[in-house]
Structure formats: structure tokens, C-alpha cells
Amino acid sequence: MSVPSAAELTRARTARRVVALLLVLAGLAACVLSLLNVTGGFVGDLRLLVTISFLLLGPGWAAAGFLRRAPAAHVWLLTIGTGVATTLLAGQIMVSTGWWHPAATLYVMTAVSVPFLLRHAVVAQ
């Protein structure tokens, strides 16, 4: 097993920072589009895409950012697995309790994920 060079580590850190910042923007955009109650047309399709992308990747990237020098495959597997699990858990809680408010759940998941994503954007490992 070879040790990654300093240049490779710098590229990986930069990529992790960019992904974290893009996910912060996606989470904020999803919340804004939800608050504006955008439903149809191109912007409605964009809202769906941005919301699903954030919910599947945002919470997972917030968790995966704590991995130190992990291979990219491990980071992405943890990201997608955690994102899917978090979204399914939130949906299951809403169904089980009868408190069906997906917009509020989006806001909560964004509020929990964004601080960690911002931390990872500043201190990428």
C-alpha cells in the first residue's frame, strides 16, 4: 500500500471542501424553494432534484467529513448510506407518529447538517 502524496491529499481536501459547500447551498436552496412553495414547471422540477439530492447526500457528508484520509469510495459509501438511512428514519417517524410535515423535516435536517458541512468546508481532512 502506497502513501498518498501531499498533492493528492490537497486535491482530496479541496474536493471535500467543494462538495461540502455545494451541499450547504443545496440545503439552503431546498429550504428557500420550500418556503416559496414552488410546485410546478422547471423550478418545481429543480426543487425536487435539489431537495432529494440534499436529503440523500447532506446528512451523510456531514458524517463522512469526520473520516481521516479515507479512500473516496469509503467516503461516498458512508455518505449515501447515512443519507438514505437518515431520510428513511425521518419518513418512518413521520408515518408512525402521524405527524406528516416533510417541509419541517427538511428544515430540521438542514439545520442539523449545515453546521457540520460548514465545519468540513473549513477543516477538510
Side-chain angles (χ1 to χ4, degrees), residues 22-47:
L22 287 174
L23 287 171
V24 167
L25 293 175
L28 296 176
C31 289
V32 167
L33 292 171
S34 176
L35 286 171
L36 294 175
N37 202 19
V38 174
T39 57
F42 173 75
V43 181
D45 293 341
L46 181 66
R47 174 187 174 192

mmCIF file with all atom_site columns, all heavy atoms in Angstrom, residues 22-47:
data_model
loop_
_atom_site.group_PDB
_atom_site.id
_atom_site.type_symbol
_atom_site.label_atom_id
_atom_site.label_alt_id
_atom_site.label_comp_id
_atom_site.label_asym_id
_atom_site.label_entity_id
_atom_site.label_seq_id
_atom_site.pdbx_PDB_ins_code
_atom_site.Cartn_x
_atom_site.Cartn_y
_atom_site.Cartn_z
_atom_site.occupancy
_atom_site.B_iso_or_equiv
_atom_site.pdbx_formal_charge
_atom_site.auth_seq_id
_atom_site.auth_comp_id
_atom_site.auth_asym_id
_atom_site.auth_atom_id
_atom_site.pdbx_PDB_model_num
ATOM 1   N N   . LEU A 1 22 ? -21.149 22.909 -1.767  1.00 0.00 ? 22 LEU A N   1
ATOM 2   C CA  . LEU A 1 22 ? -22.268 22.678 -2.687  1.00 0.00 ? 22 LEU A CA  1
ATOM 3   C C   . LEU A 1 22 ? -23.481 22.107 -1.949  1.00 0.00 ? 22 LEU A C   1
ATOM 4   O O   . LEU A 1 22 ? -24.623 22.469 -2.241  1.00 0.00 ? 22 LEU A O   1
ATOM 5   C CB  . LEU A 1 22 ? -21.847 21.747 -3.820  1.00 0.00 ? 22 LEU A CB  1
ATOM 6   C CG  . LEU A 1 22 ? -20.915 22.342 -4.867  1.00 0.00 ? 22 LEU A CG  1
ATOM 7   C CD1 . LEU A 1 22 ? -20.464 21.279 -5.858  1.00 0.00 ? 22 LEU A CD1 1
ATOM 8   C CD2 . LEU A 1 22 ? -21.584 23.502 -5.586  1.00 0.00 ? 22 LEU A CD2 1
ATOM 9   N N   . LEU A 1 23 ? -23.235 21.241 -0.981  1.00 0.00 ? 23 LEU A N   1
ATOM 10  C CA  . LEU A 1 23 ? -24.344 20.680 -0.208  1.00 0.00 ? 23 LEU A CA  1
ATOM 11  C C   . LEU A 1 23 ? -24.973 21.724 0.705   1.00 0.00 ? 23 LEU A C   1
ATOM 12  O O   . LEU A 1 23 ? -26.191 21.707 0.920   1.00 0.00 ? 23 LEU A O   1
ATOM 13  C CB  . LEU A 1 23 ? -23.881 19.455 0.573   1.00 0.00 ? 23 LEU A CB  1
ATOM 14  C CG  . LEU A 1 23 ? -23.647 18.221 -0.284  1.00 0.00 ? 23 LEU A CG  1
ATOM 15  C CD1 . LEU A 1 23 ? -22.977 17.125 0.519   1.00 0.00 ? 23 LEU A CD1 1
ATOM 16  C CD2 . LEU A 1 23 ? -24.946 17.736 -0.894  1.00 0.00 ? 23 LEU A CD2 1
ATOM 17  N N   . VAL A 1 24 ? -24.180 22.634 1.250   1.00 0.00 ? 24 VAL A N   1
ATOM 18  C CA  . VAL A 1 24 ? -24.748 23.734 2.035   1.00 0.00 ? 24 VAL A CA  1
ATOM 19  C C   . VAL A 1 24 ? -25.664 24.568 1.151   1.00 0.00 ? 24 VAL A C   1
ATOM 20  O O   . VAL A 1 24 ? -26.798 24.890 1.526   1.00 0.00 ? 24 VAL A O   1
ATOM 21  C CB  . VAL A 1 24 ? -23.635 24.614 2.659   1.00 0.00 ? 24 VAL A CB  1
ATOM 22  C CG1 . VAL A 1 24 ? -24.205 25.914 3.198   1.00 0.00 ? 24 VAL A CG1 1
ATOM 23  C CG2 . VAL A 1 24 ? -22.920 23.849 3.753   1.00 0.00 ? 24 VAL A CG2 1
ATOM 24  N N   . LEU A 1 25 ? -25.183 24.911 -0.041  1.00 0.00 ? 25 LEU A N   1
ATOM 25  C CA  . LEU A 1 25 ? -26.001 25.688 -0.976  1.00 0.00 ? 25 LEU A CA  1
ATOM 26  C C   . LEU A 1 25 ? -27.259 24.932 -1.382  1.00 0.00 ? 25 LEU A C   1
ATOM 27  O O   . LEU A 1 25 ? -28.337 25.526 -1.489  1.00 0.00 ? 25 LEU A O   1
ATOM 28  C CB  . LEU A 1 25 ? -25.182 26.070 -2.205  1.00 0.00 ? 25 LEU A CB  1
ATOM 29  C CG  . LEU A 1 25 ? -24.036 27.050 -1.968  1.00 0.00 ? 25 LEU A CG  1
ATOM 30  C CD1 . LEU A 1 25 ? -23.236 27.243 -3.244  1.00 0.00 ? 25 LEU A CD1 1
ATOM 31  C CD2 . LEU A 1 25 ? -24.568 28.377 -1.455  1.00 0.00 ? 25 LEU A CD2 1
ATOM 32  N N   . ALA A 1 26 ? -27.137 23.629 -1.602  1.00 0.00 ? 26 ALA A N   1
ATOM 33  C CA  . ALA A 1 26 ? -28.302 22.827 -1.978  1.00 0.00 ? 26 ALA A CA  1
ATOM 34  C C   . ALA A 1 26 ? -29.327 22.787 -0.846  1.00 0.00 ? 26 ALA A C   1
ATOM 35  O O   . ALA A 1 26 ? -30.535 22.902 -1.090  1.00 0.00 ? 26 ALA A O   1
ATOM 36  C CB  . ALA A 1 26 ? -27.871 21.412 -2.349  1.00 0.00 ? 26 ALA A CB  1
ATOM 37  N N   . GLY A 1 27 ? -28.862 22.629 0.390   1.00 0.00 ? 27 GLY A N   1
ATOM 38  C CA  . GLY A 1 27 ? -29.781 22.611 1.523   1.00 0.00 ? 27 GLY A CA  1
ATOM 39  C C   . GLY A 1 27 ? -30.503 23.931 1.700   1.00 0.00 ? 27 GLY A C   1
ATOM 40  O O   . GLY A 1 27 ? -31.721 23.972 1.912   1.00 0.00 ? 27 GLY A O   1
ATOM 41  N N   . LEU A 1 28 ? -29.756 25.013 1.588   1.00 0.00 ? 28 LEU A N   1
ATOM 42  C CA  . LEU A 1 28 ? -30.379 26.333 1.712   1.00 0.00 ? 28 LEU A CA  1
ATOM 43  C C   . LEU A 1 28 ? -31.337 26.598 0.561   1.00 0.00 ? 28 LEU A C   1
ATOM 44  O O   . LEU A 1 28 ? -32.432 27.144 0.760   1.00 0.00 ? 28 LEU A O   1
ATOM 45  C CB  . LEU A 1 28 ? -29.309 27.409 1.808   1.00 0.00 ? 28 LEU A CB  1
ATOM 46  C CG  . LEU A 1 28 ? -28.405 27.338 3.043   1.00 0.00 ? 28 LEU A CG  1
ATOM 47  C CD1 . LEU A 1 28 ? -27.330 28.406 2.972   1.00 0.00 ? 28 LEU A CD1 1
ATOM 48  C CD2 . LEU A 1 28 ? -29.221 27.458 4.313   1.00 0.00 ? 28 LEU A CD2 1
ATOM 49  N N   . ALA A 1 29 ? -30.958 26.200 -0.652  1.00 0.00 ? 29 ALA A N   1
ATOM 50  C CA  . ALA A 1 29 ? -31.845 26.380 -1.803  1.00 0.00 ? 29 ALA A CA  1
ATOM 51  C C   . ALA A 1 29 ? -33.120 25.557 -1.653  1.00 0.00 ? 29 ALA A C   1
ATOM 52  O O   . ALA A 1 29 ? -34.217 26.031 -1.964  1.00 0.00 ? 29 ALA A O   1
ATOM 53  C CB  . ALA A 1 29 ? -31.113 25.995 -3.088  1.00 0.00 ? 29 ALA A CB  1
ATOM 54  N N   . ALA A 1 30 ? -32.993 24.328 -1.157  1.00 0.00 ? 30 ALA A N   1
ATOM 55  C CA  . ALA A 1 30 ? -34.178 23.488 -0.945  1.00 0.00 ? 30 ALA A CA  1
ATOM 56  C C   . ALA A 1 30 ? -35.121 24.129 0.065   1.00 0.00 ? 30 ALA A C   1
ATOM 57  O O   . ALA A 1 30 ? -36.344 24.127 -0.127  1.00 0.00 ? 30 ALA A O   1
ATOM 58  C CB  . ALA A 1 30 ? -33.757 22.093 -0.480  1.00 0.00 ? 30 ALA A CB  1
ATOM 59  N N   . CYS A 1 31 ? -34.557 24.683 1.134   1.00 0.00 ? 31 CYS A N   1
ATOM 60  C CA  . CYS A 1 31 ? -35.395 25.335 2.143   1.00 0.00 ? 31 CYS A CA  1
ATOM 61  C C   . CYS A 1 31 ? -36.074 26.589 1.586   1.00 0.00 ? 31 CYS A C   1
ATOM 62  O O   . CYS A 1 31 ? -37.259 26.820 1.837   1.00 0.00 ? 31 CYS A O   1
ATOM 63  C CB  . CYS A 1 31 ? -34.569 25.685 3.378   1.00 0.00 ? 31 CYS A CB  1
ATOM 64  S SG  . CYS A 1 31 ? -34.085 24.246 4.332   1.00 0.00 ? 31 CYS A SG  1
ATOM 65  N N   . VAL A 1 32 ? -35.329 27.378 0.829   1.00 0.00 ? 32 VAL A N   1
ATOM 66  C CA  . VAL A 1 32 ? -35.905 28.599 0.246   1.00 0.00 ? 32 VAL A CA  1
ATOM 67  C C   . VAL A 1 32 ? -37.014 28.244 -0.742  1.00 0.00 ? 32 VAL A C   1
ATOM 68  O O   . VAL A 1 32 ? -38.102 28.848 -0.713  1.00 0.00 ? 32 VAL A O   1
ATOM 69  C CB  . VAL A 1 32 ? -34.805 29.450 -0.429  1.00 0.00 ? 32 VAL A CB  1
ATOM 70  C CG1 . VAL A 1 32 ? -35.408 30.529 -1.306  1.00 0.00 ? 32 VAL A CG1 1
ATOM 71  C CG2 . VAL A 1 32 ? -33.899 30.052 0.622   1.00 0.00 ? 32 VAL A CG2 1
ATOM 72  N N   . LEU A 1 33 ? -36.777 27.260 -1.606  1.00 0.00 ? 33 LEU A N   1
ATOM 73  C CA  . LEU A 1 33 ? -37.802 26.852 -2.564  1.00 0.00 ? 33 LEU A CA  1
ATOM 74  C C   . LEU A 1 33 ? -39.017 26.269 -1.859  1.00 0.00 ? 33 LEU A C   1
ATOM 75  O O   . LEU A 1 33 ? -40.150 26.448 -2.312  1.00 0.00 ? 33 LEU A O   1
ATOM 76  C CB  . LEU A 1 33 ? -37.222 25.857 -3.569  1.00 0.00 ? 33 LEU A CB  1
ATOM 77  C CG  . LEU A 1 33 ? -36.190 26.427 -4.538  1.00 0.00 ? 33 LEU A CG  1
ATOM 78  C CD1 . LEU A 1 33 ? -35.530 25.316 -5.338  1.00 0.00 ? 33 LEU A CD1 1
ATOM 79  C CD2 . LEU A 1 33 ? -36.819 27.459 -5.456  1.00 0.00 ? 33 LEU A CD2 1
ATOM 80  N N   . SER A 1 34 ? -38.807 25.603 -0.742  1.00 0.00 ? 34 SER A N   1
ATOM 81  C CA  . SER A 1 34 ? -39.921 25.086 0.037   1.00 0.00 ? 34 SER A CA  1
ATOM 82  C C   . SER A 1 34 ? -40.716 26.227 0.670   1.00 0.00 ? 34 SER A C   1
ATOM 83  O O   . SER A 1 34 ? -41.955 26.209 0.678   1.00 0.00 ? 34 SER A O   1
ATOM 84  C CB  . SER A 1 34 ? -39.414 24.134 1.119   1.00 0.00 ? 34 SER A CB  1
ATOM 85  O OG  . SER A 1 34 ? -40.473 23.699 1.925   1.00 0.00 ? 34 SER A OG  1
ATOM 86  N N   . LEU A 1 35 ? -40.009 27.210 1.221   1.00 0.00 ? 35 LEU A N   1
ATOM 87  C CA  . LEU A 1 35 ? -40.691 28.364 1.823   1.00 0.00 ? 35 LEU A CA  1
ATOM 88  C C   . LEU A 1 35 ? -41.489 29.152 0.784   1.00 0.00 ? 35 LEU A C   1
ATOM 89  O O   . LEU A 1 35 ? -42.561 29.688 1.090   1.00 0.00 ? 35 LEU A O   1
ATOM 90  C CB  . LEU A 1 35 ? -39.685 29.277 2.509   1.00 0.00 ? 35 LEU A CB  1
ATOM 91  C CG  . LEU A 1 35 ? -39.118 28.772 3.827   1.00 0.00 ? 35 LEU A CG  1
ATOM 92  C CD1 . LEU A 1 35 ? -37.976 29.667 4.292   1.00 0.00 ? 35 LEU A CD1 1
ATOM 93  C CD2 . LEU A 1 35 ? -40.196 28.687 4.880   1.00 0.00 ? 35 LEU A CD2 1
ATOM 94  N N   . LEU A 1 36 ? -40.973 29.214 -0.441  1.00 0.00 ? 36 LEU A N   1
ATOM 95  C CA  . LEU A 1 36 ? -41.674 29.923 -1.515  1.00 0.00 ? 36 LEU A CA  1
ATOM 96  C C   . LEU A 1 36 ? -42.802 29.087 -2.119  1.00 0.00 ? 36 LEU A C   1
ATOM 97  O O   . LEU A 1 36 ? -43.540 29.570 -2.971  1.00 0.00 ? 36 LEU A O   1
ATOM 98  C CB  . LEU A 1 36 ? -40.681 30.320 -2.614  1.00 0.00 ? 36 LEU A CB  1
ATOM 99  C CG  . LEU A 1 36 ? -39.623 31.347 -2.214  1.00 0.00 ? 36 LEU A CG  1
ATOM 100 C CD1 . LEU A 1 36 ? -38.646 31.560 -3.362  1.00 0.00 ? 36 LEU A CD1 1
ATOM 101 C CD2 . LEU A 1 36 ? -40.276 32.656 -1.796  1.00 0.00 ? 36 LEU A CD2 1
ATOM 102 N N   . ASN A 1 37 ? -42.921 27.832 -1.688  1.00 0.00 ? 37 ASN A N   1
ATOM 103 C CA  . ASN A 1 37 ? -43.966 26.914 -2.124  1.00 0.00 ? 37 ASN A CA  1
ATOM 104 C C   . ASN A 1 37 ? -43.957 26.731 -3.650  1.00 0.00 ? 37 ASN A C   1
ATOM 105 O O   . ASN A 1 37 ? -45.002 26.740 -4.292  1.00 0.00 ? 37 ASN A O   1
ATOM 106 C CB  . ASN A 1 37 ? -45.342 27.383 -1.649  1.00 0.00 ? 37 ASN A CB  1
ATOM 107 C CG  . ASN A 1 37 ? -46.327 26.235 -1.605  1.00 0.00 ? 37 ASN A CG  1
ATOM 108 O OD1 . ASN A 1 37 ? -45.934 25.083 -1.591  1.00 0.00 ? 37 ASN A OD1 1
ATOM 109 N ND2 . ASN A 1 37 ? -47.607 26.564 -1.600  1.00 0.00 ? 37 ASN A ND2 1
ATOM 110 N N   . VAL A 1 38 ? -42.766 26.548 -4.193  1.00 0.00 ? 38 VAL A N   1
ATOM 111 C CA  . VAL A 1 38 ? -42.604 26.314 -5.625  1.00 0.00 ? 38 VAL A CA  1
ATOM 112 C C   . VAL A 1 38 ? -43.068 24.894 -5.922  1.00 0.00 ? 38 VAL A C   1
ATOM 113 O O   . VAL A 1 38 ? -42.629 23.948 -5.282  1.00 0.00 ? 38 VAL A O   1
ATOM 114 C CB  . VAL A 1 38 ? -41.130 26.488 -6.038  1.00 0.00 ? 38 VAL A CB  1
ATOM 115 C CG1 . VAL A 1 38 ? -40.926 26.106 -7.480  1.00 0.00 ? 38 VAL A CG1 1
ATOM 116 C CG2 . VAL A 1 38 ? -40.680 27.909 -5.769  1.00 0.00 ? 38 VAL A CG2 1
ATOM 117 N N   . THR A 1 39 ? -43.987 24.748 -6.881  1.00 0.00 ? 39 THR A N   1
ATOM 118 C CA  . THR A 1 39 ? -44.517 23.411 -7.147  1.00 0.00 ? 39 THR A CA  1
ATOM 119 C C   . THR A 1 39 ? -44.449 22.973 -8.595  1.00 0.00 ? 39 THR A C   1
ATOM 120 O O   . THR A 1 39 ? -44.375 21.788 -8.864  1.00 0.00 ? 39 THR A O   1
ATOM 121 C CB  . THR A 1 39 ? -45.990 23.306 -6.694  1.00 0.00 ? 39 THR A CB  1
ATOM 122 O OG1 . THR A 1 39 ? -46.742 24.308 -7.359  1.00 0.00 ? 39 THR A OG1 1
ATOM 123 C CG2 . THR A 1 39 ? -46.103 23.473 -5.191  1.00 0.00 ? 39 THR A CG2 1
ATOM 124 N N   . GLY A 1 40 ? -44.528 23.858 -9.555  1.00 0.00 ? 40 GLY A N   1
ATOM 125 C CA  . GLY A 1 40 ? -44.638 23.404 -10.935 1.00 0.00 ? 40 GLY A CA  1
ATOM 126 C C   . GLY A 1 40 ? -43.575 23.964 -11.847 1.00 0.00 ? 40 GLY A C   1
ATOM 127 O O   . GLY A 1 40 ? -42.776 24.819 -11.474 1.00 0.00 ? 40 GLY A O   1
ATOM 128 N N   . GLY A 1 41 ? -43.577 23.444 -13.053 1.00 0.00 ? 41 GLY A N   1
ATOM 129 C CA  . GLY A 1 41 ? -42.663 23.930 -14.074 1.00 0.00 ? 41 GLY A CA  1
ATOM 130 C C   . GLY A 1 41 ? -41.228 23.508 -13.836 1.00 0.00 ? 41 GLY A C   1
ATOM 131 O O   . GLY A 1 41 ? -40.931 22.589 -13.074 1.00 0.00 ? 41 GLY A O   1
ATOM 132 N N   . PHE A 1 42 ? -40.332 24.205 -14.505 1.00 0.00 ? 42 PHE A N   1
ATOM 133 C CA  . PHE A 1 42 ? -38.908 23.901 -14.399 1.00 0.00 ? 42 PHE A CA  1
ATOM 134 C C   . PHE A 1 42 ? -38.401 24.102 -12.975 1.00 0.00 ? 42 PHE A C   1
ATOM 135 O O   . PHE A 1 42 ? -37.629 23.292 -12.460 1.00 0.00 ? 42 PHE A O   1
ATOM 136 C CB  . PHE A 1 42 ? -38.112 24.778 -15.373 1.00 0.00 ? 42 PHE A CB  1
ATOM 137 C CG  . PHE A 1 42 ? -36.631 24.636 -15.209 1.00 0.00 ? 42 PHE A CG  1
ATOM 138 C CD1 . PHE A 1 42 ? -35.982 23.515 -15.673 1.00 0.00 ? 42 PHE A CD1 1
ATOM 139 C CD2 . PHE A 1 42 ? -35.893 25.619 -14.556 1.00 0.00 ? 42 PHE A CD2 1
ATOM 140 C CE1 . PHE A 1 42 ? -34.609 23.365 -15.510 1.00 0.00 ? 42 PHE A CE1 1
ATOM 141 C CE2 . PHE A 1 42 ? -34.530 25.479 -14.389 1.00 0.00 ? 42 PHE A CE2 1
ATOM 142 C CZ  . PHE A 1 42 ? -33.891 24.351 -14.868 1.00 0.00 ? 42 PHE A CZ  1
ATOM 143 N N   . VAL A 1 43 ? -38.835 25.176 -12.331 1.00 0.00 ? 43 VAL A N   1
ATOM 144 C CA  . VAL A 1 43 ? -38.360 25.456 -10.969 1.00 0.00 ? 43 VAL A CA  1
ATOM 145 C C   . VAL A 1 43 ? -38.876 24.400 -9.993  1.00 0.00 ? 43 VAL A C   1
ATOM 146 O O   . VAL A 1 43 ? -38.179 24.017 -9.058  1.00 0.00 ? 43 VAL A O   1
ATOM 147 C CB  . VAL A 1 43 ? -38.758 26.885 -10.529 1.00 0.00 ? 43 VAL A CB  1
ATOM 148 C CG1 . VAL A 1 43 ? -38.251 27.185 -9.139  1.00 0.00 ? 43 VAL A CG1 1
ATOM 149 C CG2 . VAL A 1 43 ? -38.231 27.911 -11.520 1.00 0.00 ? 43 VAL A CG2 1
ATOM 150 N N   . GLY A 1 44 ? -40.085 23.895 -10.219 1.00 0.00 ? 44 GLY A N   1
ATOM 151 C CA  . GLY A 1 44 ? -40.604 22.810 -9.383  1.00 0.00 ? 44 GLY A CA  1
ATOM 152 C C   . GLY A 1 44 ? -39.782 21.546 -9.542  1.00 0.00 ? 44 GLY A C   1
ATOM 153 O O   . GLY A 1 44 ? -39.500 20.843 -8.566  1.00 0.00 ? 44 GLY A O   1
ATOM 154 N N   . ASP A 1 45 ? -39.393 21.249 -10.785 1.00 0.00 ? 45 ASP A N   1
ATOM 155 C CA  . ASP A 1 45 ? -38.520 20.090 -11.025 1.00 0.00 ? 45 ASP A CA  1
ATOM 156 C C   . ASP A 1 45 ? -37.154 20.303 -10.389 1.00 0.00 ? 45 ASP A C   1
ATOM 157 O O   . ASP A 1 45 ? -36.569 19.371 -9.826  1.00 0.00 ? 45 ASP A O   1
ATOM 158 C CB  . ASP A 1 45 ? -38.353 19.846 -12.521 1.00 0.00 ? 45 ASP A CB  1
ATOM 159 C CG  . ASP A 1 45 ? -39.649 19.411 -13.195 1.00 0.00 ? 45 ASP A CG  1
ATOM 160 O OD1 . ASP A 1 45 ? -40.562 18.957 -12.482 1.00 0.00 ? 45 ASP A OD1 1
ATOM 161 O OD2 . ASP A 1 45 ? -39.729 19.543 -14.436 1.00 0.00 ? 45 ASP A OD2 1
ATOM 162 N N   . LEU A 1 46 ? -36.649 21.520 -10.460 1.00 0.00 ? 46 LEU A N   1
ATOM 163 C CA  . LEU A 1 46 ? -35.373 21.851 -9.830  1.00 0.00 ? 46 LEU A CA  1
ATOM 164 C C   . LEU A 1 46 ? -35.463 21.686 -8.317  1.00 0.00 ? 46 LEU A C   1
ATOM 165 O O   . LEU A 1 46 ? -34.545 21.151 -7.687  1.00 0.00 ? 46 LEU A O   1
ATOM 166 C CB  . LEU A 1 46 ? -34.959 23.274 -10.196 1.00 0.00 ? 46 LEU A CB  1
ATOM 167 C CG  . LEU A 1 46 ? -33.626 23.749 -9.633  1.00 0.00 ? 46 LEU A CG  1
ATOM 168 C CD1 . LEU A 1 46 ? -32.488 22.942 -10.245 1.00 0.00 ? 46 LEU A CD1 1
ATOM 169 C CD2 . LEU A 1 46 ? -33.443 25.229 -9.897  1.00 0.00 ? 46 LEU A CD2 1
ATOM 170 N N   . ARG A 1 47 ? -36.588 22.122 -7.740  1.00 0.00 ? 47 ARG A N   1
ATOM 171 C CA  . ARG A 1 47 ? -36.784 21.966 -6.294  1.00 0.00 ? 47 ARG A CA  1
ATOM 172 C C   . ARG A 1 47 ? -36.740 20.494 -5.896  1.00 0.00 ? 47 ARG A C   1
ATOM 173 O O   . ARG A 1 47 ? -36.099 20.125 -4.907  1.00 0.00 ? 47 ARG A O   1
ATOM 174 C CB  . ARG A 1 47 ? -38.120 22.570 -5.872  1.00 0.00 ? 47 ARG A CB  1
ATOM 175 C CG  . ARG A 1 47 ? -38.440 22.316 -4.420  1.00 0.00 ? 47 ARG A CG  1
ATOM 176 C CD  . ARG A 1 47 ? -39.837 22.761 -4.049  1.00 0.00 ? 47 ARG A CD  1
ATOM 177 N NE  . ARG A 1 47 ? -40.151 22.365 -2.684  1.00 0.00 ? 47 ARG A NE  1
ATOM 178 C CZ  . ARG A 1 47 ? -41.359 22.417 -2.173  1.00 0.00 ? 47 ARG A CZ  1
ATOM 179 N NH1 . ARG A 1 47 ? -42.366 22.874 -2.869  1.00 0.00 ? 47 ARG A NH1 1
ATOM 180 N NH2 . ARG A 1 47 ? -41.562 22.019 -0.941  1.00 0.00 ? 47 ARG A NH2 1
#
